[in-house]
Amino acid sequence: MYNESLLKYSTVRKALLYESKGDGIVQCNLCERRCNIPPGGCGFCRTRVNINGELYTLVYGDLNAIESRPIEIKPFFHFWPGSTALTFSTWSCNFNCPWCQNWHLSKQSPEPRTSLYIPPEKVVKKALLNRDEGLCVSFTEPTLLFEFSIDAFKIASKFSLYNTYVSNGYMTLEALRILRDSGLNGLKIDIKGDEDVYRRYCGGLNVDFVWRNAREAKRMGIHVELVNLIITGVNDDEECIRWVIERHLKEVGPDTPVHFTRYYPAYRFYNPPTKIEKL
Ligand code: SF4
């Protein structure tokens, strides 16, 4: 049970996107899971909790990794080439992919009592000291750092740094608009496969929201690139790859880069690595 005793910790902040559903229940409107959370409970991602009928994030400034990385590693191949972005992340995820390549970060729940709080000003200062040209929220799902990234992006924009997300693309449109208004310049979206892959492997999700966000982000003027991790025995058949390519052409068009990357066994998935010939 989550209660008022958590409110004294710096990483616990009021969430921005939620609504009351009566009887103390709140609906989180940050991602398209739109969890209904009872008092004392948490959402699917375990980063948002209901304390006395109000929604709080547990991960504001709770950063589990922070380092300069080349923008091409994201991969962004057509956005500030040759630059580095100060890249950071927090705990947990709103997806449940059994092959998660960053499972040591994404499968951990946040713990405000022992977290190390890093303020957004400090992140921007570190980027400037490193001579990074931008920020990137990555490694785990950046949407879960929503409130923190909004504050960091606004400060970063004042210093002419760019702001990027490496995301599964499952945020709500409300969240995407606020991110754009706060300075999000680049969005890389992971495509896991076709409808069946999202339903079977990622926790009963609807892939249409992901394509909608790719399309809408482009319309908002955000630079979009897509990546499809090709996983042996999951999405490496001709039919699934063709589905992704056709949907890509229909939703975002041929001028939007799409990358195909190699899977390695990780977390709870032991199928062999993607064959080079397949890529
Ligand atoms: S961010 Fe998504 S998974 Fe997490 S509580 Fe909100 S709706 Fe649920």
Side-chain angles (χ1 to χ4, degrees):
M1 286 286 279
Y2 298 91
N3 57 40
E4 306 83 359
S5 67
L6 289 173
L7 300 180
K8 61 177 177 281
Y9 297 104
S10 301
T11 60
V12 181
R13 305 286 176 103
K14 186 75 79 70
L16 286 179
L17 290 175
Y18 71 97
E19 63 191 82
S20 173
K21 302 300 267 186
D23 292 332
I25 296 169
V26 293
Q27 177 178 288
C28 175
N29 290 326
L30 179 55
C31 89
E32 289 293 355
R33 282 193 182 275
R34 298 195 190 257
C35 300
N36 282 307
I37 308 172
C42 68
F44 179 92
C45 65
R46 296 166 289 158
T47 68
R48 272 151 179 84
V49 301
N50 180 340
I51 299 176
N52 295 336
E54 296 188 313
L55 191 67
Y56 289 83
T57 170
L58 300 181
V59 294
Y60 186 97
D62 183 1
L63 307 186
N64 53 19
I66 181 162
E67 63 182 21
S68 290
R69 302 198 109 201
I71 195 72
E72 285 80 5
I73 281 180
K74 310 302 173 192
F76 274 117
F77 275 20
H78 301 270
F79 181 85
W80 289 78
S83 69
T84 59
L86 188 68
T87 307
F88 52 93
S89 60
T90 191
W91 309 104
S92 202
C93 191
N94 55 344
F95 277 27
N96 200 17
C97 313
W99 52 75
C100 183
Q101 307 280 294
N102 281 330
W103 61 274
H104 54 295
L105 303 175
S106 70
K107 302 303 172 189
Q108 302 278 344
S109 298
E111 179 39 84
R113 293 171 193 86
T114 53
S115 63
L116 287 176
Y117 170 63
I118 302 181
E121 295 81 5
K122 201 165 176 184
V123 169
V124 174
K125 193 171 173 193
K126 185 169 171 54
L128 294 169
L129 283 171
N130 288 352
R131 300 189 178 220
D132 296 312
E133 292 182 75
L135 302 184
C136 181
V137 197
S138 180
F139 305 133
T140 58
E141 177 48 41
T143 306
L144 305 183
L145 264 181
F146 180 66
E147 292 80 2
F148 181 81
S149 39
I150 285 171
D151 290 347
F153 287 177
K154 285 180 181 168
I155 301 166
S157 297
K158 287 188 189 147
F159 291 94
S160 302
L161 297 176
Y162 62 71
N163 298 305
T164 55
Y165 258 25
V166 173
S167 172
N168 57 34
Y170 215 64
M171 68 281 281
T172 58
L173 259 189
E174 305 99 280
L176 186 59
R177 286 195 191 105
I178 293 171
L179 285 166
R180 187 269 319 267
D181 293 345
S182 305
L184 182 71
N185 308 113
L187 176 63
K188 202 224 69 186
I189 295 181
D190 287 310
I191 303 293
K192 313 285 182 191
D194 60 14
E195 290 139 323
D196 187 49
V197 173
Y198 276 81
R199 261 196 313 265
R200 282 179 62 196
Y201 293 99
C202 304
L205 299 167
N206 181 351
V207 68
D208 288 344
F209 290 125
V210 179
W211 287 108
R212 176 205 66 192
N213 285 342
R215 194 178 63 233
E216 290 304 315
K218 279 204 82 170
R219 280 201 191 126
M220 291 177 194
I222 298 169
H223 176 82
V224 174
E225 297 196 23
L226 306 177
V227 66
N228 184 190
L229 181 71
I230 301 293
I231 304 162
T232 312
V234 172
N235 60 6
D236 62 342
D237 57 291
E238 179 85 16
E239 196 183 333
C240 188
I241 294 172
R242 192 170 287 280
W243 185 92
V244 169
I245 291 171
E246 284 173 1
R247 194 81 193 251
H248 165 262
L249 290 172
K250 177 175 163 231
E251 302 283 2
V252 290
D255 61 330
T256 302
V258 57
H259 308 259
F260 295 93
T261 53
R262 191 177 190 207
Y263 141 92
Y264 288 89
Y267 189 44
R268 293 182 177 156
F269 215 71
Y270 306 106
N271 288 4
T274 321
K275 287 193 178 134
I276 298 292
E277 310 84 69
K278 173 62 76 174
L279 289 175

